[in-house]
Amino acid sequence: MFVINKPSFDYFCYISLCNIMSRSQKISLTIAAAFIAAILYYFQLYRFYSISADHQFLIDKEWILTQIKQPGGTALLISSFATQFFTSPIIGVIVTTIIYMAIALTITCIMRCRDIMATAYPIAFLPVIFMFLSMENSYYGFRGHVALLITIVALFIYEKFIKRTDTAQRAAIATATAALLYFMTGSTTIIFAIYIIMDELMKKRVPLTGIAASAASLAIAYLSVLQSSFISIEEALTPQQYYNWPSSYFFQIYAWASVVLTMPLGLLISKICGNHIRDIIITSLLALAIFATGTRLFSIVHNSNNYQLHHEEYLAQHEDWDSIIELHKGSKQPVYFISYLNLALAQKGVLVESMSRYNQMDVSEKLGWQPTSKEGLQLKSTVFYHLGFLSAARQATFELNIMTPGSANPEALVRLASISKAMNYSTLADKYFYVAHKALLYCDAQPQAIETRTPNDNRFMGIDGFEKDLEDIVEANPDNDIAIQFLKAYRVVCNKYRNK
């Protein structure tokens, strides 16, 4: 007679239960992933394109070694490798969805280690909400996403393995893990240390392991400041280091806090669970509350005009002029003289006759965006380049490359090389191409043919005003229809506002 011993039977039941749960979870996770991907696609698709050049991944041994030696270098390398493919924005949606789902799934695994009931699992998506909101800040660096994911994986390793060792081993391993984690991710290591302290306090133990991990993190952060890896202790210990320029970072703070608070919240929710109907109600309310919180905060921070600029930037780089014009159909938003819309109208040969359909602004403010911002420089670079105003395009493109985090924007470098060749600076063009070709997607990039002829007058461009510059360009290039249209449009707008 075949007999199933108790350990084998228990194991069989456990595996069967996991299989049942996995089937239901697969459906839930698929729905969640599809929902996140749809939200990213609709609201942030072109933000991914705009960060594709940030800290561009270069196939250069010295560059890679330099990055990996810096605190947070591993997260930077991983994010840089991924974001270089965001030139196709849909890849940005896919990669970001995977990261968000990995964050939520890893947190649920940690909750399972803590015997937290599945009813509380929706709170695992709370950090995802704040990470999504962080992306609305143009100064935020995608490496913050990767750093948080690595740190949460480290928390799972702590719960699954490190936590089960004795006190001395636990303190030693956690301290070494915190030190390694700081070098890999940077300041997100603080989450690891605080989580351990809270875990030990909740078990009414002296938080020796947490204190040791915190001391290791603080010591390395302080040394990083002394070695000028960071400019201040604030940058070394806060999310500020994941922003490319000085900025508020409260959404990242919320994301970090929600990771730490997930466990006590989950344990609290588990205490009031047990009834099937009550569990369904609690899970639904949690999901609704998280969604409502995200929706409310998103409505406050989302800037539709700024996002449309990123959308137009993408369309302009792909010379999809019809789609740019379609975006402005029926719009009453201000249109500034140097804009993607005016460039698109000129490319279609209808700038002068179509201007009256849009809310054209006076030329006294030609740009409408901060001229030294990344968005403003990108706009000037593109419009002036297509206009044939090569000196202005070169200046804007050079500054754009410098302003790009990492100072290696391959698209800008290729444009600079093309302009330099057109100006007969072949040696300079080769230098720009040397750096651009280190980028994986630009290793075979070639200069774009430019037929623009420089004005015969050797005066400084801009000294007599923008209208005079356009006149010089048209005089030297009588077949440049784009410049001719912009010159006529400039005079139309000037007359409109000056004759009032």
Side-chain angles (χ1 to χ4, degrees), residues 350-461:
V350 295
L351 175 57
V352 178
E353 54 265 41
S354 299
M355 291 181 69
S356 59
R357 300 177 190 171
Y358 306 98
N359 186 17
Q360 296 279 349
M361 296 289 101
D362 187 9
V363 292
S364 59
E365 187 178 355
K366 294 190 290 291
L367 190 63
W369 298 91
Q370 187 178 353
T372 56
S373 68
K374 186 179 175 182
E375 292 84 359
L377 291 170
Q378 179 71 64
L379 176 57
K380 289 193 293 183
S381 171
T382 301
V383 174
F384 289 143
Y385 178 78
H386 285 278
L387 182 61
F389 197 168
L390 296 188
S391 60
R394 182 174 64 169
Q395 179 182 355
T397 309
F398 179 83
E399 293 176 0
L400 172 65
N401 184 64
I402 295 299
M403 289 287 289
T404 302
S407 299
N409 184 327
E411 191 174 81
L413 289 168
V414 170
R415 179 169 290 176
L416 283 170
S418 300
I419 294 172
S420 297
K421 276 195 172 294
M423 291 182 165
N424 296 318
Y425 299 136
S426 297
T427 302
L428 180 59
D430 291 341
K431 290 182 179 180
Y432 288 132
F433 270 125
Y434 175 75
V435 179
H437 285 166
K438 290 183 179 181
L440 180 62
L441 301 184
Y442 293 83
C443 58
D444 296 322
Q446 296 298 319
Q448 298 170 322
I450 301 176
E451 298 180 358
T452 300
R453 293 173 294 279
T454 56
N456 296 323
D457 191 349
N458 197 28
R459 68 185 186 82
F460 287 105
M461 301 296 284

Side-chain angles (χ1 to χ4, degrees), residues 317-332:
Q317 296 307 320
H318 291 79
E319 299 189 5
D320 188 353
W321 311 117
D322 290 326
S323 294
I324 293 177
I325 295 171
E326 186 65 25
L327 281 177
H328 288 266
K329 189 175 181 179
S331 173
K332 298 299 182 183

Side-chain angles (χ1 to χ4, degrees), residues 184-201:
M184 291 179 64
T185 67
S187 58
T188 53
T189 307
I190 301 301
I191 301 172
F192 182 79
I194 294 176
Y195 177 91
I196 297 174
I197 291 175
M198 286 190 62
D199 178 56
E200 292 180 310
L201 289 175

Side-chain angles (χ1 to χ4, degrees), residues 9-282:
F9 181 74
D10 288 344
Y11 179 76
F12 175 79
C13 291
Y14 174 75
I15 294 297
S16 299
L17 180 60
C18 285
N19 287 335
I20 293 172
M21 289 180 64
S22 65
R23 284 196 292 270
S24 62
Q25 284 180 349
K26 283 178 182 178
I27 297 173
S28 300
L29 290 174
T30 301
I31 293 172
F35 179 75
I36 289 173
I39 294 294
L40 291 173
Y41 183 88
Y42 190 80
F43 290 107
Q44 293 186 343
L45 178 66
Y46 299 103
R47 286 195 177 278
F48 298 121
Y49 176 79
S50 69
I51 66 172
S52 61
D54 289 5
H55 294 287
Q56 179 69 36
F57 187 89
L58 301 179
I59 306 174
D60 182 278
K61 182 180 178 181
E62 183 177 348
W63 180 84
I64 293 173
L65 289 176
T66 299
Q67 303 307 320
I68 208 166
K69 289 177 183 177
Q70 298 293 322
T74 302
L76 175 62
L77 283 175
I78 295 172
S79 63
S80 296
F81 183 82
T83 55
Q84 69 177 323
F85 299 106
F86 289 8
T87 49
S88 176
I90 194 66
I91 295 179
V93 172
I94 294 170
V95 170
T96 308
T97 300
I98 291 172
I99 290 175
Y100 288 164
M101 292 305 298
I103 287 173
L105 189 57
T106 306
I107 290 175
T108 59
C109 289
I110 297 172
M111 295 169 78
R112 190 177 297 173
C113 291
R114 301 290 296 266
D115 295 323
I116 295 173
M117 296 185 66
T119 306
Y121 286 0
I123 62 176
F125 286 91
L126 197 54
V128 172
I129 292 292
F130 295 123
M131 298 301 288
F132 171 80
L133 293 169
S134 295
M135 286 291 292
E136 287 296 306
N137 187 332
S138 297
Y139 298 137
Y140 175 70
F142 196 77
R143 62 193 180 279
H145 277 43
V146 176
L148 184 63
L149 175 57
I150 294 174
T151 302
I152 292 172
V153 171
L155 290 177
F156 174 71
I157 293 172
Y158 171 80
E159 279 288 348
K160 195 72 175 177
F161 304 106
I162 301 174
K163 188 175 175 180
R164 298 182 181 183
T165 59
D166 60 49
T167 303
Q169 285 182 319
R170 186 168 62 249
I173 297 172
T175 301
T177 302
L180 176 62
L181 195 60
Y182 194 94
F183 275 110
M184 291 179 64
T185 67
S187 58
T188 53
T189 307
I190 301 301
I191 301 172
F192 182 79
I194 294 176
Y195 177 91
I196 297 174
I197 291 175
M198 286 190 62
D199 178 56
E200 292 180 310
L201 289 175
M202 288 172 65
K203 293 187 176 180
K204 298 180 180 179
R205 293 198 305 232
V206 178
L208 296 176
T209 302
I211 292 172
S214 299
S217 303
L218 291 171
I220 298 175
Y222 180 70
L223 289 174
S224 299
V225 175
L226 292 181
Q227 294 175 355
S228 300
S229 296
F230 303 113
I231 61 174
S232 66
I233 196 68
E234 178 188 2
E235 184 182 5
L237 293 174
T238 68
Q240 187 182 73
Q241 69 179 247
Y242 302 113
Y243 287 76
N244 298 320
W245 305 104
S247 173
S248 60
Y249 46 80
F250 48 87
F251 281 131
Q252 278 290 288
I253 288 290
Y254 298 160
W256 290 15
S258 62
V259 172
V260 175
L261 295 174
T262 294
M263 298 311 128
L265 284 174
L267 290 169
L268 180 62
I269 293 168
S270 293
K271 289 182 179 180
I272 60 176
C273 294
N275 179 281
H276 180 65
I277 296 177
R278 186 192 302 165
D279 290 354
I280 294 175
I281 293 173
I282 291 173

